[in-house]
Amino acid sequence: MHFRKVAVLCLVALQVAAQKKSLIKELQPAYDRWTKEDVLYIITSEERKAFTDLGTDEEREQFVEQFWLRRDPTPDTAENEYKEEHYRRIAWANERFASGIPGWKTDRGRIYIRFGPPDEIESHPSGGSWQRPAQQGGGQTTAFPFETWRYRYLANVGNDVVIEFVDPTLTGEYRLTGDPCDKDALRHVPGGSQQATMEPGGCAALKDDKQFDAIRLQSDLERPPAVKFRDLEAFVDSRVSFATLPMAVQVDYIRLTEATVMAYVTVQFEGGGEKASVNLFGRVSTLSRRPVTTFENQLEVLSRQRGLFRVAIPISPGRYRLNLVAKDLMSGNMAATELTLEAPRFPAELLSAGSLILADIIEPLPGKNPWAGMFDIGDRKVRPRLNGRFAKDEKAGIYLQVYSPVQDGGTIAYELVRGGTEERVLAYTEKVSQLPPVVVQFLRLSDFAPGAYTMRVRISTSGGQTVQKESSLTITP
């Protein structure tokens, strides 16, 4: 009997140890993805080694916090502009450069995330007949699709930096190249090589002369940016109270990487009044009240009916607390609310989609530099209608990001369902040869009676995967 009890206890101990080991294995990939996805292009080799040597999750969380604090250009403010801009660049790359793989993994995505938008872009998306410039040998040839990016200055790289990307497979995946001849399609067909280089000098004649410069440039482009604030420490504490200030809040989620989600927190101040000055403080913390990030803004609201504010917060998938406090500086009224953030996971191997956003404005951003305004997502301005209320004479904009693991065709189905029922007042399906990264549509509401509805968008691939998103919509007279 004694031997049997000892054997049972040993078995239980082994099972507990196995469960702990299994739990550690489940938690570890989240931190691995942070280094292999989120900060892959900006973490230094010394930081990566230090992170790998850490032994506990608490140490890793502290490292991540300090990693961003060391890069904060304005440590005396609540915002970390470097971190916000980094994740915004990831979102932009995902929307613009995806080509069977997420945009952040592409060569254009990598350069954009590291250095931001170029000062000039020369784009040849269709390739075809192309006149070489004199510095590349001159002459007429046929080119693959290519882009040339120019930066007037890049820290640790130099002045007048020219970077070229070529799409030799015609799949939309542009590859970084240091050889100006790589875009010459005639070099890759029988008998074309001679034609491609027959002009005086020729493209190929430049290769050996420029090879060393190209290797040095590619090495400089791969080097992580320098850390400016190595010894920075920060501490934030706050106590808040509230009275009555009408405030509505909405949270939408967009995927950045497998390890990070962008939570778009939109706040609207409701009620009368032509003008108001409002101080807004926000804090995101874990469920155990450990702070993750804070933000603070003073808002000049000209009309509280349209007084919208939005902040983008990059977080890992999981559950968090969001605390918001607002104070009207004229009346002294205050409002406070606490919400649960549930940042979803977007597995790379599965079809998925972000939040279905109903908006009164969806329009392309002007100019080359994105992220100029608080309502910008990727290359569009998307201003949500917070309570989903639209007048009958308006159009409701539909915005939905789609994440497909493969380049696949399928269908996009739109349904408008009367509230409290399954009565469909709108049912429309379109076939697509390839699922778009972003679905944008506008729904004319004059065709429908006032009342409460549910807007649904269902994405299906030809391979059988399906994802559906929905949002509440109210039509007023």
Side-chain angles (χ1 to χ4, degrees), residues 433-449:
S433 58
Q434 182 177 327
L435 293 180
V438 180
V439 173
V440 174
Q441 288 289 351
F442 292 90
L443 181 63
R444 187 174 59 191
L445 302 179
S446 58
D447 297 336
F448 308 102

mmCIF file of all heavy atoms in Angstrom, residues 433-449:
data_model
loop_
_atom_site.group_PDB
_atom_site.id
_atom_site.type_symbol
_atom_site.label_atom_id
_atom_site.label_comp_id
_atom_site.label_asym_id
_atom_site.label_seq_id
_atom_site.Cartn_x
_atom_site.Cartn_y
_atom_site.Cartn_z
ATOM 1 N N SER A 433 -12.466 37.454 -57.780
ATOM 2 C CA SER A 433 -11.405 36.527 -58.170
ATOM 3 C C SER A 433 -10.322 36.431 -57.110
ATOM 4 O O SER A 433 -9.589 35.445 -57.036
ATOM 5 C CB SER A 433 -10.793 36.966 -59.501
ATOM 6 O OG SER A 433 -10.269 38.292 -59.398
ATOM 7 N N GLN A 434 -10.231 37.466 -56.285
ATOM 8 C CA GLN A 434 -9.279 37.470 -55.176
ATOM 9 C C GLN A 434 -9.844 38.323 -54.050
ATOM 10 O O GLN A 434 -10.331 39.429 -54.288
ATOM 11 C CB GLN A 434 -7.921 38.027 -55.621
ATOM 12 C CG GLN A 434 -6.863 38.021 -54.520
ATOM 13 C CD GLN A 434 -5.517 38.504 -55.043
ATOM 14 O OE1 GLN A 434 -5.175 38.280 -56.205
ATOM 15 N NE2 GLN A 434 -4.755 39.164 -54.194
ATOM 16 N N LEU A 435 -9.820 37.805 -52.823
ATOM 17 C CA LEU A 435 -10.372 38.561 -51.700
ATOM 18 C C LEU A 435 -9.565 39.832 -51.485
ATOM 19 O O LEU A 435 -8.342 39.790 -51.403
ATOM 20 C CB LEU A 435 -10.355 37.711 -50.426
ATOM 21 C CG LEU A 435 -11.279 36.489 -50.415
ATOM 22 C CD1 LEU A 435 -11.147 35.753 -49.091
ATOM 23 C CD2 LEU A 435 -12.727 36.887 -50.643
ATOM 24 N N PRO A 436 -10.225 40.979 -51.381
ATOM 25 C CA PRO A 436 -9.497 42.234 -51.163
ATOM 26 C C PRO A 436 -9.048 42.350 -49.713
ATOM 27 O O PRO A 436 -9.683 41.802 -48.809
ATOM 28 C CB PRO A 436 -10.551 43.302 -51.490
ATOM 29 C CG PRO A 436 -11.850 42.643 -51.121
ATOM 30 C CD PRO A 436 -11.678 41.183 -51.461
ATOM 31 N N PRO A 437 -7.941 43.081 -49.449
ATOM 32 C CA PRO A 437 -7.527 43.292 -48.057
ATOM 33 C C PRO A 437 -8.480 44.198 -47.290
ATOM 34 O O PRO A 437 -8.531 44.140 -46.066
ATOM 35 C CB PRO A 437 -6.141 43.929 -48.198
ATOM 36 C CG PRO A 437 -6.137 44.554 -49.551
ATOM 37 C CD PRO A 437 -6.997 43.683 -50.406
ATOM 38 N N VAL A 438 -9.241 45.019 -48.008
ATOM 39 C CA VAL A 438 -10.191 45.932 -47.362
ATOM 40 C C VAL A 438 -11.488 45.949 -48.163
ATOM 41 O O VAL A 438 -11.466 46.090 -49.392
ATOM 42 C CB VAL A 438 -9.634 47.365 -47.265
ATOM 43 C CG1 VAL A 438 -10.656 48.282 -46.594
ATOM 44 C CG2 VAL A 438 -8.328 47.400 -46.500
ATOM 45 N N VAL A 439 -12.612 45.768 -47.474
ATOM 46 C CA VAL A 439 -13.929 45.899 -48.096
ATOM 47 C C VAL A 439 -14.475 47.282 -47.763
ATOM 48 O O VAL A 439 -14.572 47.651 -46.586
ATOM 49 C CB VAL A 439 -14.894 44.808 -47.581
ATOM 50 C CG1 VAL A 439 -16.310 45.065 -48.094
ATOM 51 C CG2 VAL A 439 -14.417 43.429 -48.008
ATOM 52 N N VAL A 440 -14.811 48.044 -48.786
ATOM 53 C CA VAL A 440 -15.391 49.378 -48.608
ATOM 54 C C VAL A 440 -16.641 49.470 -49.484
ATOM 55 O O VAL A 440 -16.574 49.227 -50.697
ATOM 56 C CB VAL A 440 -14.399 50.487 -48.994
ATOM 57 C CG1 VAL A 440 -15.089 51.852 -48.925
ATOM 58 C CG2 VAL A 440 -13.190 50.473 -48.069
ATOM 59 N N GLN A 441 -17.766 49.777 -48.861
ATOM 60 C CA GLN A 441 -19.024 49.954 -49.582
ATOM 61 C C GLN A 441 -19.803 51.091 -48.927
ATOM 62 O O GLN A 441 -19.543 51.470 -47.779
ATOM 63 C CB GLN A 441 -19.868 48.679 -49.562
ATOM 64 C CG GLN A 441 -19.344 47.555 -50.427
ATOM 65 C CD GLN A 441 -19.509 47.827 -51.916
ATOM 66 O OE1 GLN A 441 -20.170 48.794 -52.303
ATOM 67 N NE2 GLN A 441 -18.915 46.975 -52.747
ATOM 68 N N PHE A 442 -20.780 51.627 -49.679
ATOM 69 C CA PHE A 442 -21.662 52.663 -49.148
ATOM 70 C C PHE A 442 -23.102 52.216 -49.375
ATOM 71 O O PHE A 442 -23.476 51.818 -50.479
ATOM 72 C CB PHE A 442 -21.402 54.011 -49.817
ATOM 73 C CG PHE A 442 -20.067 54.603 -49.469
ATOM 74 C CD1 PHE A 442 -18.950 54.322 -50.240
ATOM 75 C CD2 PHE A 442 -19.924 55.403 -48.348
ATOM 76 C CE1 PHE A 442 -17.715 54.854 -49.924
ATOM 77 C CE2 PHE A 442 -18.690 55.939 -48.013
ATOM 78 C CZ PHE A 442 -17.585 55.662 -48.804
ATOM 79 N N LEU A 443 -23.912 52.287 -48.319
ATOM 80 C CA LEU A 443 -25.291 51.827 -48.359
ATOM 81 C C LEU A 443 -26.224 53.038 -48.332
ATOM 82 O O LEU A 443 -26.212 53.819 -47.370
ATOM 83 C CB LEU A 443 -25.581 50.923 -47.158
ATOM 84 C CG LEU A 443 -26.985 50.328 -47.065
ATOM 85 C CD1 LEU A 443 -27.254 49.414 -48.256
ATOM 86 C CD2 LEU A 443 -27.132 49.551 -45.749
ATOM 87 N N ARG A 444 -27.007 53.192 -49.394
ATOM 88 C CA ARG A 444 -27.983 54.287 -49.451
ATOM 89 C C ARG A 444 -29.173 53.915 -48.593
ATOM 90 O O ARG A 444 -29.860 52.919 -48.838
ATOM 91 C CB ARG A 444 -28.409 54.525 -50.895
ATOM 92 C CG ARG A 444 -29.294 55.763 -51.080
ATOM 93 C CD ARG A 444 -29.560 56.006 -52.550
ATOM 94 N NE ARG A 444 -30.223 54.845 -53.148
ATOM 95 C CZ ARG A 444 -30.383 54.704 -54.451
ATOM 96 N NH1 ARG A 444 -29.914 55.614 -55.296
ATOM 97 N NH2 ARG A 444 -31.010 53.627 -54.930
ATOM 98 N N LEU A 445 -29.467 54.737 -47.596
ATOM 99 C CA LEU A 445 -30.467 54.388 -46.595
ATOM 100 C C LEU A 445 -31.877 54.839 -46.957
ATOM 101 O O LEU A 445 -32.843 54.447 -46.287
ATOM 102 C CB LEU A 445 -30.070 54.976 -45.240
ATOM 103 C CG LEU A 445 -28.695 54.532 -44.717
ATOM 104 C CD1 LEU A 445 -28.395 55.194 -43.386
ATOM 105 C CD2 LEU A 445 -28.630 53.018 -44.597
ATOM 106 N N SER A 446 -32.016 55.636 -47.985
ATOM 107 C CA SER A 446 -33.354 56.133 -48.348
ATOM 108 C C SER A 446 -34.263 55.009 -48.812
ATOM 109 O O SER A 446 -35.496 55.180 -48.865
ATOM 110 C CB SER A 446 -33.237 57.192 -49.453
ATOM 111 O OG SER A 446 -32.579 56.651 -50.597
ATOM 112 N N ASP A 447 -33.696 53.848 -49.153
ATOM 113 C CA ASP A 447 -34.500 52.720 -49.614
ATOM 114 C C ASP A 447 -35.120 51.922 -48.468
ATOM 115 O O ASP A 447 -35.891 50.990 -48.719
ATOM 116 C CB ASP A 447 -33.645 51.775 -50.460
ATOM 117 C CG ASP A 447 -33.116 52.439 -51.724
ATOM 118 O OD1 ASP A 447 -33.752 53.411 -52.165
ATOM 119 O OD2 ASP A 447 -32.072 52.005 -52.240
ATOM 120 N N PHE A 448 -34.789 52.286 -47.210
ATOM 121 C CA PHE A 448 -35.239 51.480 -46.078
ATOM 122 C C PHE A 448 -36.032 52.332 -45.089
ATOM 123 O O PHE A 448 -35.791 53.532 -44.935
ATOM 124 C CB PHE A 448 -34.040 50.845 -45.370
ATOM 125 C CG PHE A 448 -33.126 50.101 -46.301
ATOM 126 C CD1 PHE A 448 -31.935 50.663 -46.709
ATOM 127 C CD2 PHE A 448 -33.481 48.849 -46.794
ATOM 128 C CE1 PHE A 448 -31.094 49.996 -47.594
ATOM 129 C CE2 PHE A 448 -32.645 48.165 -47.668
ATOM 130 C CZ PHE A 448 -31.444 48.740 -48.074
ATOM 131 N N ALA A 449 -36.967 51.676 -44.401
ATOM 132 C CA ALA A 449 -37.792 52.372 -43.420
ATOM 133 C C ALA A 449 -36.984 52.671 -42.165
ATOM 134 O O ALA A 449 -36.062 51.930 -41.815
ATOM 135 C CB ALA A 449 -39.005 51.510 -43.063
#
